[in-house]
Each structure stands twice: as C-alpha cells, then as structure tokens.
Amino acid sequence: MRVLLTGGTGYIGGTVLERLIAKGHQITALVRNSDKAKVVRAKGAEAAIADLSDGEAIRKLVAESDGVIHLASPGDETGAAVEEVAVANMLRALQNTGKAFVHTTGVWDHGSGSAITESTPMNAPRLTAWRVPIAERVRTAPGVRSSVVAPAVVYGRGGGLLNLVAAGQRTAGGAPALTMIGPGDQHWSTVHVDDVAELYILALEKASAGSYFLGASGVNPTVREITEAVSQSLGLSGRVQAEPVAHTLERLGLHGEALLLDQQASGETARRALGWSPSRPTVLEDIAATSFESAS
C-alpha cells in the first residue's frame, strides 16, 4: 500500500514506520522540517514537509495515498485545535473512497476502571477530553475504512513514561528511595512499543470501518511495582516512597491527573478481530533489562 504516515519521527510513529517498511509498504511520512525529513528518508520513506494545519497539502497527500496512519500531535496547548483541523481535512479527502484511516487516542480516555474494554464509557481526564469527539467523528466517517487505536502506557526501547518514573525525586539520607507518582496503588495498563506498532499496521491492513481497539497487553502492574523495579535498576535496591496526590498534581499538572488514574485493560478485541498477539517482554521484564540514568 501507499501509506501516508504522520508522527513518523516520534516514539510510536518511528517504530510504526520501521514495521511498515519491513512489510513492503510504500511510505510517505509527513514531517515539519528538513531535519526530520532526513530521519525518515534514512529509514526508507519518502518525506513530505508540511504542517498539520496546511489543509491543501494534507488533502493532496491523502488523495495520493491508499491509506493513512495518523500519529502526530503537537503535544502542547495547540493540540486540540491542530487535531481538529488536520482530521477534518483528512476525512474530507478520504470521504467515500473506502480507504483505510487509522487514528490515535489513548486508554486514558476511559478514566479509571478495573476491567476496561472498548465498550467502557468514556470518562477522559481534562488532559485528553478533547480527543473523544474527534475519535467518534473518525469512526463514523462515511465511506472510510476508519479505525481508532487507543494505546495503553507505552514502554520499550528506552522510551516512554518509564523515564518520567526514573526521573522522580529521591529522598534524603543514606538509603534514598525513589518517589512514586501518587500513592502507588493505581494500576497502569501497559504495552510494548513494538507490539502496539504492529497493532497499527494490522488495523491499516485488516480493520473494518468504525473499529476501535485498545492497545493494551493485558499486563496491568501497579505504579508501586513499576517504581520498585525502576528503583532496583537505578541501584536504589527497590526502595520507593509514595507521593501525596496534591504534590503529584502540583508537580505534573493535568498530566499528573491522568497518571493517577487506576486502569486495567486487556486488549482482547484486537486479538480476536485482527489476530494481534503481543509478544514482547512485559513492562517489569523490560525495566529489569534497561539502564536508567542514576541522577534525578
């Protein structure tokens, strides 16, 4: 397929790009500047330099493609507005073509829950609430083989939120402990970056119109378990200390509010509908094999 990929220099998108190339797809990666263009070209993709808000460029690139995987996001306060414009232009170009469009949200949009599935009602934290109506618009777009992937907390290849855990404050004294994000009893649904990258490609190739998939491995450790493993890797002998919720919110703001959610998800729908089979090391196994920076 001729695939338009946004976010191809990002953490997840870069892995998706590698997998697409390996499977023989012809990739055009939308990038913001010449430096990022060099990165995607080095991996075997064509580069198109344009901004997500450039409607004419977006519509032309979409029209020239057989399918789209959309992973890019500004990651700042402009995210909602930019996403509104980008998705509107993509859907306009895709309408009634039957082409594939894979869009991205996240498991946080469901809020807390001990058995989160694709049918669990949305209860998004303020950080991501804007994503919910956009994802619904994608799923109901006429004449588009649209699907939405909602990754859990992504780890692997030395990236992702584990670095935020490792950068936590250390307590004072001769036996310092690593401060947890919140009380530590909340669960995080997790997925390896290589596994979730394969889910995006399966959705591109096989998903039916209007599909929605949680990208979750089914491994849902507590923040305490994760932080203890990171502490061990940092040479702190697994010592951890809880952080008052108020302090987490003060330190991390809306991001902290999302990280305090207590979530457990399985990702069974993608296994059943697409044959997705997460096989990489679990998050705790990955931490044990990762060397984090020792300085806070």
Side-chain angles (χ1 to χ4, degrees):
M1 293 174 66
R2 294 171 300 171
V3 181
L4 176 64
L5 173 67
T6 75
T9 60
Y11 178 43
I12 299 175
T15 308
V16 170
L17 175 57
E18 293 171 6
R19 292 287 183 272
L20 286 167
I21 295 291
K23 293 204 69 175
H25 293 294
Q26 179 181 336
I27 312 304
T28 297
L30 182 71
V31 295
R32 288 178 290 177
N33 55 54
S34 58
D35 288 340
K36 292 183 181 295
K38 292 176 183 177
V39 172
V40 298
R41 287 177 183 138
K43 291 185 176 183
E46 296 180 14
I49 301 175
D51 192 271
L52 283 171
S53 61
D54 186 341
E56 183 177 353
I58 294 293
R59 291 191 296 273
K60 181 176 184 295
L61 289 166
V62 171
E64 294 171 347
S65 303
D66 299 317
V68 179
I69 298 180
H70 179 39
L71 277 155
S73 176
D76 56 27
E77 66 279 358
T78 68
V82 170
E83 188 76 345
E84 284 273 1
V85 172
V87 170
N89 281 303
M90 290 176 186
L91 292 179
R92 188 179 307 170
L94 288 165
Q95 187 172 2
N96 297 323
T97 64
K99 294 179 180 179
F101 179 38
V102 186
H103 181 62
T104 301
T105 58
V107 73
W108 286 343
D109 293 349
H110 290 281
S112 292
S114 60
I116 296 172
T117 69
E118 286 77 4
S119 61
T120 300
M122 298 296 176
N123 186 23
R126 288 176 292 171
L127 181 70
T128 66
W130 58 269
R131 299 191 309 200
V132 176
I134 296 175
E136 182 61 22
R137 191 180 314 152
V138 170
R139 293 182 66 193
T140 57
V144 183
R145 187 166 61 81
S146 59
S147 58
V148 174
V149 174
V153 171
V154 183
Y155 66 92
R157 298 192 177 202
L161 280 173
L162 296 183
N163 291 297
L164 181 64
V165 175
Q169 295 178 334
R170 276 66 159 170
T171 61
L178 181 62
T179 300
M180 295 185 288
I181 295 174
D185 57 355
Q186 73 272 35
H187 296 80
W188 284 354
S189 291
T190 60
V191 67
H192 194 284
V193 66
D194 288 334
D195 285 328
V196 79
E198 291 179 357
L199 175 54
Y200 277 94
I201 297 168
L202 286 169
L204 174 79
E205 296 174 340
K206 300 172 62 175
S208 57
S211 298
Y212 175 51
F213 304 106
L214 292 176
S217 67
V219 178
N220 307 284
T222 64
V223 170
R224 176 177 290 277
E225 291 171 321
I226 290 171
T227 311
E228 286 175 344
V230 172
S231 170
Q232 189 70 42
S233 180
L234 287 167
L236 302 178
S237 300
R239 293 185 298 273
V240 300
Q241 177 170 292
E243 179 178 52
V245 168
H247 290 183
T248 298
L249 294 175
E250 180 180 359
R251 179 167 64 91
L252 298 175
L254 296 183
H255 198 189
E257 184 180 283
L259 292 170
L260 289 168
L261 294 173
D262 185 11
Q263 296 192 307
Q264 298 184 64
S266 67
E268 285 300 322
T269 297
R271 291 169 170 80
R272 184 174 62 253
L274 302 177
W276 184 49
S277 180
S279 60
R280 272 62 177 194
T282 68
V283 63
L284 298 182
E285 291 169 343
D286 184 82
I287 292 169
T290 300
S291 296
F292 296 96
E293 293 294 332
S294 61
S296 61

